[in-house]
Amino acid sequence: MTRKSVLREVREVQLAIELIELGARLQFLEAEVDLSRERLIRLYKELKGVSPPKGLLPFSTDWYMTWLANIHSSMFYNMYQFMLTHANESGLQALIKSYRLYSEQIESQGSEIVLDFTRAYTMVRFFDSDMLQLSTCCRCGGKFVAHAHDSKNGYVCVLCRPPSRAGKARGAKRAAPGIPSESGLQKPASPADRPEAAPAGRALQAALP
Ligand SMILES: [Zn+2]
């Protein structure tokens, strides 16, 4: 086995620390960071004070379709795409930066993080393996996470057509951020149609460079 350069090893440790602090799980760390499993586990324990949780990533694409999850997922994926295309970031750096931006945005509104890092990463993989797509809402122009191969014609998003119980669940109302539309402007809609979405949407647009 060849000896790794010290500098490279330091970078890998820094990357692992950054990912652990964002909430990455062990499987993800093993896939993305060039450090042994033992060292990753030790790092994790030192940073978090507990052993990394065991078990596989349990999610299916259905989770991303529920009302609140879809709003958060769509907000995150729009940021991720922005980082990839406009900020010229690699996949992993785009993931880290857009997840940070998403968390900061949600926290600045006093809302709760709905999309954790593992779900964000799993979603990116679902997009990469052509299981999810972004569909453009024909009413507001925002781009939302949808099942791949669903018809893109006449798609109406969860903000423009929320389910009747949307926003009534505890905490759901204030946790709903907005999605930037393609034009960068959100069309105003009646409050009944867009629960608490517009102020958050404007905040999101302001946060994007
Ligand atoms: Zn819409």
Side-chain angles (χ1 to χ4, degrees):
M1 203 171 125
T2 53
R3 282 178 64 144
K4 263 195 263 179
S5 107
V6 175
L7 202 58
R8 191 172 155 206
E9 195 165 349
V10 169
R11 286 202 192 104
E12 294 297 317
V13 170
Q14 280 172 338
L15 176 64
I17 292 170
E18 195 171 15
L19 290 168
I20 291 167
E21 283 173 344
L22 284 175
R25 290 173 62 159
L26 191 61
Q27 294 110 302
F28 178 81
L29 297 171
E30 283 187 274
E32 298 293 341
V33 183
D34 190 15
L35 292 174
S36 72
R37 185 184 167 86
E38 289 66 36
R39 292 196 67 195
L40 288 170
I41 291 173
R42 267 173 49 205
L43 255 179
Y44 193 100
K45 280 185 185 165
E46 269 188 55
L47 285 165
K48 295 271 185 181
V50 289
S51 298
K54 293 200 173 76
L56 297 170
L57 307 175
F59 312 115
S60 80
T61 53
D62 293 340
W63 183 85
Y64 302 95
M65 301 305 145
T66 55
W67 182 72
L68 191 59
N70 191 263
I71 296 169
H72 281 251
S73 303
S74 303
M75 182 183 178
F76 165 78
Y77 201 77
N78 276 282
M79 290 170 168
Y80 174 74
Q81 281 225 313
F82 181 90
M83 291 293 176
L84 272 186
T85 50
H86 298 288
N88 223 354
E89 296 287 357
S90 71
L92 183 59
Q93 283 305 315
L95 178 69
I96 291 171
K97 288 184 178 167
S98 49
Y99 192 75
R100 277 240 164 82
L101 188 60
Y102 160 76
S103 323
E104 284 165 11
Q105 196 58 45
I106 298 299
E107 276 161 10
S108 74
Q109 294 163 26
S111 300
E112 280 164 39
I113 304 276
V114 170
L115 182 78
D116 67 24
F117 184 78
T118 301
R119 283 196 158 114
Y121 158 68
T122 310
M123 178 169 65
V124 167
R125 289 207 317 191
F126 284 145
F127 269 94
D128 291 347
S129 48
D130 204 22
M131 292 164 73
L132 292 174
Q133 68 185 16
L134 279 182
S135 293
T136 304
C137 174
C138 64
R139 291 193 195 163
C140 69
K143 291 180 174 177
F144 289 79
V145 175
H147 284 300
H149 314 301
D150 277 1
S151 170
K152 289 185 175 181
N153 291 334
Y155 170 79
V156 179
C157 77
V158 290
L159 287 176
C160 292
R161 192 161 54 197
S164 55
R165 284 196 53 76
K168 288 176 186 156
R170 193 158 45 117
K173 202 170 179 183
R174 47 182 192 88
I179 304 299
S181 71
E182 202 144 27
S183 65
L185 286 171
Q186 284 195 324
K187 269 187 221 154
S190 74
D193 282 349
R194 314 198 63 167
E196 301 294 310
R202 280 196 294 275
L204 170 58
Q205 283 148 23
L208 287 170

